[in-house]
Amino acid sequence: MGVDSPQPVRILVVDDDPGDVLMIEEALADSDVEKIIDVVSDGEEAMEFLRAEGRHQQAHRPDVILLDLNMPRMDGRQVLGAVKQDEDLRTIPIVVLTTSNADTDIVGSYTLQANAYVTKPIDLDDFNDVVRRIDEFFGRVVVLPKRT
């Protein structure tokens, strides 16, 4: 990954809102960073994906996770805690991308070792711009850990 990498960046989007997922996918598609996008709709499915279990036995380890906080079954806070406590997964950068701008969610996410916290803008152009900036940062600027 990073500047010298010929491999596409693998992004796992964890979000239960189909409209937000579509906007994220469209914004990511607009950039020229080569990427592979996987999408899961709740925290339990995210953990299955990350552990290559159940219906996601063929899943590939993502290079970065875009994580919504408010989801059914297992919310983003629980996913964040589980990933960062897992020896095999904790090095995957996680960007919390959520509608909440509550201080408790922001502080709580960083306490659980989120790599970044981004509030989803309501305006479509602003939303696209934010997602493109995340994509650019993790696709071009940051050096990501090698996949194992």
Side-chain angles (χ1 to χ4, degrees), residues 8-12 33-38 147:
V9 175
R10 287 189 164 278
I11 300 171
L12 176 62
V33 174
E34 193 177 342
K35 71 194 71 62
I36 298 168
I37 304 166
D38 292 298
R147 291 183 207 139

Side-chain angles (χ1 to χ4, degrees), residues 14 42-48 50-51 65 67-86 89 94 96 105 108-109 112-114:
V14 185
D42 66 50
E44 285 185 12
E45 189 180 0
M47 295 312 299
E48 264 185 27
L50 292 168
R51 293 179 175 142
I65 299 169
L67 178 65
D68 187 27
L69 287 184
N70 300 310
M71 297 178 291
R73 298 200 304 162
M74 180 181 195
D75 72 15
R77 295 161 197 82
Q78 293 167 303
V79 172
L80 184 55
V83 169
K84 294 303 181 178
Q85 289 174 12
D86 187 307
L89 302 175
I94 297 179
V96 173
D105 285 335
S109 294
L112 290 170
Q113 301 176 345

Side-chain angles (χ1 to χ4, degrees), residues 2-142:
V3 178
D4 300 325
S5 177
Q7 283 190 310
V9 175
R10 287 189 164 278
I11 300 171
L12 176 62
V13 177
V14 185
D15 198 318
D16 66 320
D17 183 319
D20 284 356
V21 169
L22 182 62
M23 289 192 304
I24 291 167
E25 288 177 320
E26 288 177 352
L28 290 172
D30 282 347
S31 85
D32 59 358
V33 174
E34 193 177 342
K35 71 194 71 62
I36 298 168
I37 304 166
D38 292 298
V39 178
V40 296
S41 60
D42 66 50
E44 285 185 12
E45 189 180 0
M47 295 312 299
E48 264 185 27
F49 185 96
L50 292 168
R51 293 179 175 142
E53 297 172 346
R55 62 193 143 167
H56 293 289
Q57 291 178 16
Q58 303 303 314
H60 295 278
R61 178 186 176 93
D63 296 307
V64 65
I65 299 169
L66 300 183
L67 178 65
D68 187 27
L69 287 184
N70 300 310
M71 297 178 291
R73 298 200 304 162
M74 180 181 195
D75 72 15
R77 295 161 197 82
Q78 293 167 303
V79 172
L80 184 55
V83 169
K84 294 303 181 178
Q85 289 174 12
D86 187 307
E87 191 74 29
D88 297 327
L89 302 175
R90 70 174 48 149
T91 58
I92 301 171
I94 297 179
V95 176
V96 173
L97 182 61
T98 189
T99 54
S100 173
N101 62 2
D103 288 340
T104 54
D105 285 335
I106 296 166
V107 171
S109 294
Y110 283 117
T111 300
L112 290 170
Q113 301 176 345
N115 297 85
Y117 190 100
V118 179
T119 303
K120 293 176 183 173
I122 294 172
D123 179 78
L124 180 60
D125 290 336
D126 292 342
F127 188 97
N128 287 337
D129 185 51
V130 162
V131 173
R132 277 192 221 108
R133 286 173 189 245
I134 293 168
D135 184 42
E136 182 74 18
F137 184 69
F138 283 98
R140 295 206 190 284
V141 178
V142 171

